Amino acid sequence: MSLELAGRKVLVVGLAKSGVSAARLAAQRGARVTATDRRAATELAPALRALEGAKVSYALGGHDERDFATSDLVVVSPGVPLSLPEIEAARREGIPVMAEVELAARFLGDVAVVAITGTNGKSTTTALAGALFQEDRRTFVGGNLGTPLCDLVLSGRAVDVAVVELSSFQLEGIERLRPRVAALLNLTPDHLDRYRSMDEYAAAKSRVFMNQQQGDVALANARDPRTVAMARSSRGEAWTFGPGAPEARSVRDDGHALHVTEISAEPEAYHVRSRALRGRHNRENAMAALACARLLGVPGPAVQRALDEFPGLPHRLELVSERDGVEWVNDSKATNVDSTAVGLAAFPAGRPSVVLVLGGRGKKAPYAPLAGLFPGRVKALLTIGEDAPAIERELGHQAPTESCGDLATAVDRASRIAQPGDVVLLSPACSSYDQFRNYEERGEAFRRLVAGLPRP
């Protein structure tokens, strides 16, 4: 499965974090590397600093089709669509095109890959699964979450397991990547600004199972028939997770404990006690993570210990402050409607207590599915960003609504609206690219703005 790069001409398309990592790896392996990006050098200063010392040539400020046509291999960053005309032309000429994760996979040797994908929950599940494995063996955690897989190869670090989050964009560019365990958490409308239909988006996700063989495991959400059908297309053994009574090859949540079947001679039950895993969606994330760990032999006591100690992820239902009886919660990672829905549902209904901040750059998905979560839960809706008018049209009748424009104004208004016992929840249901570089920057801004609020 290894790939010989010495002396070959490798073109890396896109200089985000994974592109930088791919360029460094290809150069380390002796390739003649060119990196191309539509952005100018002035916009790519951090990437160019990260590549200092590596033998890399640059074609910046646009793409030259000749660079593609004369390459031996094209490596594509996740943010670059494979429908790019230059990439399509390269493929027609028989030039291999692959994702950064595929490039890394060619050098992993016997490392067991655990791949986690889905519309929502994949970052939490990846981080949690990584914590479970780290209790028992040498583990890398990354992929779409944090550290590119190529960084593991570059480091030379010996690991037993690589737990990787894979986006649909990354999965489009795999060829041989074979997960020992592949988990598809859910499928709901997302990235419809890139995919022509939900079916096309689902087809990209299903690629996580395509290279599995006998002895591997395909894991899917029992509440989502489409994910189950995809898992059953794998050559590996299909397992499911979800609510209900225990059944064959499953993890099930009976409302009290998570029950695992057919791994040990005795029934297994695990408990979710960490505050970072509150909400039904996080119980599902925990089921998926513990299935990955137990199926690859992590002992039960180590699994329970890591479940109890899991601190959660930044920007995902992260409690950033408790001020005068008001909780301020950063859910900036909720960049689509379904992710906001599961985050909002983590707070109990009964009395309107959530001051909800929504908005940013929309993804052409309707906001109306959130309406059923407003009654008895949402006290006020504050909108920000480009898609604020669409949000107000679809949800403005569900709760008192104010158009705030930007996050600073929304935080200030929320501080005046929220009363003791309330929650101010930033859960935008949109990408951040209209006002911030990414969801992390948006979440950090929320933290700073909350910390800067005057005390009464």
Side-chain angles (χ1 to χ4, degrees):
M1 189 176 177
S2 188
L3 182 65
E4 181 56 54
L5 293 180
R8 301 183 72 195
K9 186 173 180 182
V10 174
L11 181 69
V12 175
V13 188
L15 278 177
K17 187 159 46 176
S18 62
V20 168
S21 185
R24 290 177 59 225
L25 176 58
Q28 183 198 68
R29 299 286 166 149
R32 292 178 293 136
V33 181
T34 299
T36 180
D37 196 296
R38 283 181 168 166
R39 292 171 291 176
T42 52
E43 301 175 81
L44 292 166
L48 298 179
R49 281 197 300 271
L51 286 167
E52 285 178 0
K55 292 184 178 179
V56 177
S57 300
Y58 300 100
L60 306 178
H63 299 312
D64 187 334
E65 191 169 324
R66 289 172 297 179
D67 290 325
F68 292 77
T70 59
S71 293
D72 297 309
L73 172 66
V74 177
V75 181
V76 183
S77 294
V80 178
L82 296 184
S83 59
L84 196 73
E86 294 89 346
I87 293 175
E88 290 185 333
R91 282 182 150 170
R92 285 194 299 271
E93 293 298 318
I95 297 168
V97 176
M98 64 176 61
E100 173 266 332
V101 290
E102 176 69 22
L103 176 66
R106 302 298 180 94
F107 299 98
L108 288 180
D110 295 330
V111 174
V113 174
V114 175
I116 295 167
T117 194
T119 305
N120 297 300
K122 54 187 179 292
S123 293
T124 297
T125 304
T126 301
L128 178 56
L132 303 185
F133 278 105
Q134 285 166 342
E135 287 286 321
D136 184 63
R137 59 198 67 182
R138 298 171 301 177
T139 304
F140 167 84
V141 184
N144 194 53
L145 171 68
T147 307
L149 191 56
C150 279
D151 277 14
L152 171 61
V153 182
L154 282 161
S155 73
R157 182 162 64 97
V159 300
D160 306 302
V161 178
V163 182
V164 290
E165 174 187 325
L166 295 179
S167 69
S168 59
F169 301 165
Q170 289 169 308
L171 287 166
E172 289 175 32
I174 68 167
E175 295 177 0
R176 300 184 191 175
L177 175 66
R178 175 188 169 187
R180 286 282 307 281
V181 180
L184 179 52
L185 305 180
N186 45 59
L187 276 172
T188 57
D190 195 17
H191 298 302
L192 297 182
D193 50 347
R194 174 150 163 173
Y195 296 103
R196 290 172 295 184
S197 67
M198 183 65 183
D199 286 343
E200 188 176 274
Y201 171 60
K205 289 291 192 185
S206 70
R207 292 172 63 86
V208 75
F209 301 123
M210 72 179 189
N211 294 319
Q212 289 192 297
Q213 304 296 327
Q214 285 189 339
D216 299 332
V217 176
L219 180 64
N221 191 329
R223 289 197 304 109
D224 190 332
R226 192 190 316 228
T227 70
V228 175
M230 289 178 178
R232 288 177 178 158
S233 73
S234 169
R235 296 182 190 90
E237 185 174 74
W239 277 62
T240 62
F241 64 91
E247 57 184 75
R249 297 176 188 159
S250 75
V251 183
R252 290 289 182 267
D253 181 4
D254 66 1
H256 302 286
L258 312 182
H259 300 271
V260 184
T261 62
E262 297 189 23
I263 290 180
S264 63
E266 298 296 324
E268 300 182 30
Y270 299 89
H271 299 277
V272 180
R273 295 183 277 250
S274 169
R275 187 178 182 184
L277 294 172
R278 62 182 169 186
R280 187 189 74 177
H281 68 292
N282 271 326
R283 292 181 71 86
E284 290 192 351
N285 295 339
M287 283 187 275
L290 77 88
C292 292
R294 287 296 292 124
L295 284 161
L296 289 185
V298 177
V303 166
Q304 185 62 68
R305 183 166 58 249
L307 282 172
D308 289 342
E309 296 173 357
F310 183 63
L313 280 180
H315 313 298
R316 190 63 177 124
L317 289 177
E318 175 194 17
L319 179 64
V320 298
S321 181
E322 291 185 73
R323 301 165 60 92
D324 306 310
V326 176
E327 290 188 7
W328 294 78
V329 177
N330 169 21
D331 198 30
S332 181
K333 199 175 189 307
T335 59
N336 59 60
V337 171
D338 193 64
S339 187
T340 293
V342 295
L344 190 53
F347 299 92
R351 74 172 184 85
S353 62
V354 176
V355 179
L356 178 62
V357 181
L358 284 182
R361 178 165 294 170
K363 295 182 175 180
K364 299 185 179 179
Y367 298 99
L370 294 173
L373 291 165
F374 272 57
R377 182 179 277 113
V378 176
K379 180 176 186 175
L381 170 62
L382 307 179
T383 65
I384 62 174
E386 287 179 2
D387 233 27
I391 293 168
E392 291 160 17
R393 282 196 303 272
E394 296 186 48
L395 297 174
H397 60 289
Q398 295 290 336
T401 300
E402 294 185 37
S403 179
C404 296
D406 58 34
L407 186 58
T409 303
V411 167
D412 178 69
R413 287 297 302 135
S415 71
R416 301 171 192 275
I417 294 169
Q419 301 295 319
D422 289 347
V423 174
V424 178
L425 175 63
L426 169 67
S427 190
C430 293
S431 77
S432 58
Y433 302 131
D434 56 339
Q435 297 181 351
F436 301 94
R437 287 180 300 176
N438 48 46
Y439 74 82
E440 293 99 334
E441 185 178 80
R442 179 170 61 190
E444 293 293 344
F446 181 72
R447 282 190 193 134
R448 287 194 305 274
L449 290 165
V450 172
L453 287 171
R455 293 282 183 179

